[in-house]
Amino acid sequence: MDKKPLFSLVLPTRNRALLVQHCLACIAQQDFENFEVILSDNGSTELCENEFSAYAVDRRFRYVRPPHDMNMSDHWEFALSFATGTYITIVSEKFMFRPDALSVLAKVIAKNEPDLLTWQFERYEVVGDDFDNGHYHPLMKPVASSFYDPMLELKRRFSFATPSFYRPLRHKNSYGKIYSGCVRNEVLDRVRSHFGRVFSPYIPDFSSMAAILNESSSAIDVGQSLMMVVFADNISNGDATKISLAQMENYFASYGEDADIFSRHTLFEGCWVGHNSFIAYDYDRIKIKARYGHLVTTEIDKVNLLSWMLADFYEVKDFGHFDKSQLEKILMAHKYGFSAREQLMIDRNLEMLKNAEPCPYEIYHSGLDKLQSMPADMTPRTLARYHWLDKTAPPRKNVLQRGEGIPEAVQYFYHYNLASIRLLEGSAEKMAQGYDGNS
């Protein structure tokens, strides 16, 4: 490539060749050409050289292999080392970009040149391994892009006022991330200089997020879903480790670690179960290394954190050889070590989580009247008209037909968003002109 690309799409993958094939096809169909792709294949049982071969003649696409088997954080760091773009994103093989995703980002960059950008995503849900017959129904309402303050976002994350994944704040789940976001290369250089590397164990998207927010001065969320994420059994390390301690043990092993050693260094000694525990550990490690910036004065709220560690514990379905009652006893001992007022706060947090409302940015919960049945011939444009002209929401049934898989779902997602944006922009223009619907 003769000139530095605007975007580097870094795709670290492991044993998911079929998804890589779909992911690369979506990238190749982008209507914006100034990008590069680094496909880093950490596979052990299923390499994706054949899936890459169709793009080998395109100088924008590069295939690399790490010199040895790597854990997730080290592999992401290795793959990132090949990126030369002005803005860099880490792409999962589960991410299926709509054809105009990069051009949407390029327009925002041309106008604002932020340090980082983030976006929303849709869900393509699969039963078993039947990727050709998944379920898709538009999820998130497209809205105008908006700035958010990196310092305030860092403080929000460290406060643990809500869990790290919280449905009412679904629209903020990607804030600050290079995963469902892209970051200016200069910011990543500052992260490396400050912290030694971009991705630290154990949750690399969250450890990097804290460092990136510390080094950023401007951030924008584009307000739209730019990709569709494939959700299926046995393809998400995060989902697997959330419910199975056996899977968590395997993840520990990839870092040469085990639960007993790790539990001695967590924020609550002896407690290690659940994503919030790992995320808080990574936050704490990053904060210890910080020499300047908002991380120096930002503190983790341990009362809130323990609330979500308890919630995580009760979501586990497979404890394997671990003693569930003993793990729970240690957690509760930490709870009772807090004051009565703080224990009440933990109970209130858990009740808040139990009664959490849907995100108001979810289309179905954005104030539309609910229809009881799914109309026939639900094309993308028709569904958009139901949502934003008629102000009605058909049931969230599959909009795809039998035999329509990932490519068809991406096209539906793309055309639905185009139609929705036109209709929503038209409605905003009419409102600005005083249109009351009767003229």
Side-chain angles (χ1 to χ4, degrees):
M1 189 172 294
D2 296 327
K3 62 178 182 177
K4 187 163 105 172
L6 182 59
F7 297 107
S8 291
L9 289 83
V10 180
L11 174 50
T13 186
R14 184 179 179 87
N15 300 334
R16 292 176 182 164
L18 177 59
L19 286 174
V20 166
Q21 178 181 340
H22 287 298
C23 180
L24 290 176
C26 290
I27 294 172
Q29 292 172 5
Q30 291 297 301
D31 61 12
F32 182 87
E33 296 184 353
N34 189 16
F35 66 85
E36 67 176 0
V37 178
I38 295 97
L39 173 61
S40 183
D41 189 353
N42 195 31
S44 57
T45 61
E46 184 184 338
L47 299 182
C48 51
E49 289 174 297
N50 289 336
E51 287 69 24
F52 179 80
S53 62
Y55 309 98
V57 296
D58 190 331
R59 294 177 63 196
R60 299 174 302 174
F61 288 74
R62 182 175 182 180
Y63 178 86
V64 298
R65 291 264 292 152
H68 53 80
D69 187 55
M70 290 183 169
N71 61 54
M72 183 182 290
S73 298
D74 287 346
H75 185 212
W76 284 25
E77 200 76 31
F78 168 81
L80 183 66
S81 70
F82 296 93
T84 65
T86 304
Y87 285 85
I88 300 174
T89 179
I90 297 292
V91 179
S92 168
E93 61 277 281
K94 299 176 293 182
F95 294 177
M96 308 297 163
F97 287 100
R98 66 188 228 202
D100 63 340
L102 296 185
S103 61
V104 169
L105 292 171
K107 289 174 184 176
V108 176
I109 289 169
K111 184 178 180 180
N112 302 286
E113 297 186 347
D115 283 338
L116 65 106
L117 298 95
T118 50
W119 53 82
Q120 312 302 316
F121 63 86
E122 299 289 302
R123 297 175 63 95
Y124 179 82
E125 298 176 359
V126 174
V127 176
D129 59 358
D130 189 5
F131 291 99
D132 294 329
N133 291 286
H135 180 283
Y136 172 66
H137 192 104
L139 175 64
M140 298 298 287
K141 178 181 179 179
V143 299
S145 61
S146 58
F147 282 92
Y148 59 94
D149 187 324
M151 178 192 70
L152 294 179
E153 181 59 20
L154 187 65
K155 291 184 179 298
R156 181 180 80 86
R157 296 285 191 168
F158 271 60
S159 76
F160 283 93
T162 61
S164 301
F165 304 95
Y166 186 54
R167 187 175 177 185
L169 299 180
R170 182 196 292 271
H171 60 294
K172 294 187 176 184
N173 278 350
S174 299
Y175 279 17
K177 288 188 176 182
I178 195 173
Y179 196 63
S180 302
C182 62
V183 182
R184 187 184 284 277
N185 207 336
E186 296 167 1
V187 173
L188 298 180
D189 285 340
R190 294 199 293 270
V191 169
R192 292 188 191 93
S193 176
H194 193 170
F195 300 100
R197 56 187 290 163
V198 176
F199 304 112
S200 302
Y202 288 90
I203 313 292
D205 54 329
F206 278 89
S207 61
S208 60
M209 179 197 67
I212 288 166
L213 288 170
N214 191 68
E215 305 300 324
S216 297
S217 59
S218 60
I220 292 178
D221 186 86
V222 301
Q224 300 180 40
S225 293
L226 297 186
M227 65 192 188
M228 188 180 71
V229 179
V230 178
F231 285 83
D233 295 336
N234 302 320
I235 70 166
S236 171
N237 290 324
D239 289 344
T241 56
K242 187 175 182 179
I243 62 174
S244 169
L245 299 195
Q247 291 295 326
M248 182 62 75
E249 269 198 299
N250 292 336
Y251 191 68
F252 272 130
S254 72
Y255 287 91
E257 190 73 273
D258 63 40
D260 180 58
I261 295 174
F262 177 75
S263 68
R264 299 174 196 169
H265 305 291
T266 56
L267 274 71
F268 293 96
E269 187 174 353
C271 303
W272 57 274
V273 176
H275 286 183
N276 286 286
S277 175
F278 281 85
I279 290 168
Y281 175 87
D282 281 358
Y283 286 173
D284 190 50
R285 296 297 97 185
I286 292 292
K287 176 179 171 55
I288 289 171
K289 294 180 180 179
R291 304 186 305 273
Y292 62 81
H294 305 303
L295 272 171
V296 173
T297 57
T298 301
E299 299 292 337
I300 293 173
D301 188 314
K302 296 183 70 173
V303 175
N304 286 336
L305 170 61
L306 188 64
S307 305
W308 317 131
M309 289 174 60
L310 282 163
D312 285 345
F313 178 85
Y314 293 121
E315 284 195 37
V316 175
K317 295 181 173 61
D318 171 24
F319 282 85
H321 64 83
F322 293 97
D323 187 333
K324 177 181 177 180
S325 61
Q326 180 62 21
L327 291 172
E328 184 177 24
K329 181 179 179 181
I330 296 171
L331 268 171
M332 296 307 294
H334 283 293
K335 177 185 176 182
Y336 296 137
F338 285 118
S339 68
R341 182 184 64 82
E342 290 168 327
Q343 291 178 45
L344 180 60
M345 186 179 298
I346 290 172
D347 293 337
R348 287 175 176 170
N349 280 341
L350 292 172
E351 191 66 20
M352 177 191 76
L353 181 60
K354 179 181 176 182
N355 297 318
E357 297 289 332
C359 176
Y361 288 80
E362 293 178 32
I363 295 166
Y364 196 70
H365 302 285
S366 62
L368 306 181
D369 293 331
K370 309 293 191 297
L371 298 180
Q372 297 304 309
S373 60
M374 188 75 164
D377 190 28
M378 191 54 64
T379 66
R381 181 175 295 181
T382 301
L383 183 56
R385 290 178 66 88
Y386 270 103
H387 286 156
W388 315 123
L389 284 185
D390 299 342
K391 307 296 182 184
T392 57
R396 294 202 72 249
K397 295 182 179 179
N398 199 354
V399 296
L400 305 174
Q401 304 300 312
R402 185 71 185 169
E404 292 185 335
I406 290 173
E408 292 81 10
V410 171
Q411 285 299 308
Y412 194 106
F413 157 46
Y414 168 56
H415 289 291
Y416 169 82
N417 273 273
L418 287 182
S420 292
I421 291 166
R422 291 191 190 105
L423 291 172
L424 289 164
E425 287 177 347
S427 297
E429 182 178 348
K430 289 176 181 177
M431 288 176 66
Q433 294 172 357
Y435 176 75
D436 64 4
N438 296 316
S439 56

